[in-house]
Amino acid sequence: MLTPALAALAMALLLGLQPVTTDLYLPALPLLTVELHAPMSAAQLTMSLVLLAFGIGQLVMGPLSDRFGRKPVLLGGLGLHGAASIGCALAPSIDTLIACRAFQGLGLAASIVCARAMLRDLYEPRQGAHVMSWALSGLGVLALASPLLGGWLTAHLGWRAPLAAVAVIAVATWAIVAALVPETSAQRDAQALQPRSLARSLASVVSHPTFRAWTALSSLTYGGLFLLLAASSFVYIGVLGLTPWGYGMAMASSSFSYMAATFYCRRLLPRHGLAGTVKRGAVFTVAGGLGMAAMSLSDSPALPGVLLAHWLYNFGHGIHQPCGQAGTVGPFPRSAGVASALAGFFLAIVAFFVGLWLGQALNGTLRPMGMGLAFFALGTAGIALTLVQRHGEHFEAVPT
């Protein structure tokens, strides 16, 4: 049985594989675009397609984890992620890199789905949100370190080095899970993969208003975060003139803001509950989104102003995300894998379309990133103040 501390550590590693996969190579993105002679749209596919595969993969990994348990699905997915990461580091062309990134996304799906499902296996929603906030503090450390490491490796060893570092981290995570993480699912759902039973579970989850409220919140707040991830290297390096190392420092500072928010989230939860906590987080989200939009309207946007807006949005995200991840699976103790998979699927679909849009919209200015972030900030705040307040605390167990 996992203690809360070990559970938080395990989930930090599993959830942290996502920012490692997406953030560590960001400083290399402009350079690999040039060296592989790739158009902007293809470069964005290395970000957006991994999220699409990640989303589709969750629809498979979730039911598999309900049927066979969390640990075997975790080990299989982490193995696939590690192999694909090696392929990314060795990719001779942008097409090969895009294909390997898609397989990374499929493997990553097991890590995220099983981490969320393990949370519901072990804890009730409010306690789960507290443990998740600790896990996301650990994730914040990885998110903070990833662009710093990626910037240093890119500057000194070229664009393949950050991709090789992702492979090393993936293999290490597989070894840690194999050695330390026990099975957390107390019972298997023998019918989880039967089409009729699966359809019934999916319908039960999607129709639940609490699931819809928290999934909408998580998807919109992550849509803004992904916009920052996918556009920021081109903006900070191409528009604001930072070096890859300087860009890594900027991204690390925004990750520190996110990590600080997870600590603040833990202070808010006992007093205000999940719904009250995200209501307060919405203030930071809106300030960041509108601040970035205002900076984008300037003819000469100032780096400090852009960074401040980035920090504020990330701070709001650090409050919304632990609550959203606990809330989406809260009503479904028997089918947490399916609920986690569906929530992740919707989140990934939003991110995929953000990536497609950015491939066409990025124009050498701050404006696409600024206006896009304002859109997601207002959408997140709208959900936090309406649907989550009406349905966000309804955690009665639903039979599925």
Side-chain angles (χ1 to χ4, degrees), residues 368-386:
M369 190 170 88
M371 293 303 173
L373 193 66
F375 170 82
F376 283 108
L378 293 173
T380 300
I383 296 297
L385 297 175
T386 56

Side-chain angles (χ1 to χ4, degrees), residues 131-219:
V131 173
M132 179 60 80
S133 70
W134 276 109
L136 292 181
S137 296
L139 177 150
V141 173
L142 292 172
L144 187 154
S146 291
L148 284 176
L149 178 60
W152 187 89
L153 289 172
T154 300
H156 291 85
L157 300 174
W159 66 267
R160 292 186 188 274
L163 295 170
V166 174
V168 171
I169 293 169
V171 172
T173 302
W174 185 96
I176 292 169
V177 168
L180 298 179
V181 177
E183 179 58 58
T184 61
S185 179
Q187 56 184 355
R188 310 289 188 271
D189 183 354
Q191 297 182 327
L193 299 178
Q194 294 180 6
R196 185 174 297 177
S197 175
L198 180 57
R200 187 165 56 247
S201 293
L202 291 171
S204 175
V205 170
V206 171
S207 65
H208 199 289
T210 300
F211 173 83
R212 292 201 300 267
W214 287 115
T215 298
L217 180 87
S218 295
S219 297

Side-chain angles (χ1 to χ4, degrees), residues 296-365:
S296 75
L297 296 175
S298 170
D299 291 334
S300 301
L303 176 62
V306 173
L307 276 175
L308 177 61
H310 196 152
W311 294 340
L312 286 169
Y313 189 89
N314 271 32
F315 195 90
H317 183 71
I319 295 172
H320 295 311
Q321 201 65 356
C323 296
Q325 294 202 25
T328 53
V329 298
F332 311 103
R334 293 189 57 197
S335 54
V338 170
S340 173
L342 270 174
F345 173 75
F346 289 123
L347 180 151
I349 290 298
V350 169
F352 174 70
F353 282 107
V354 169
L356 288 184
W357 175 73
L358 279 175
Q360 304 301 318
L362 286 175
N363 58 5
T365 73

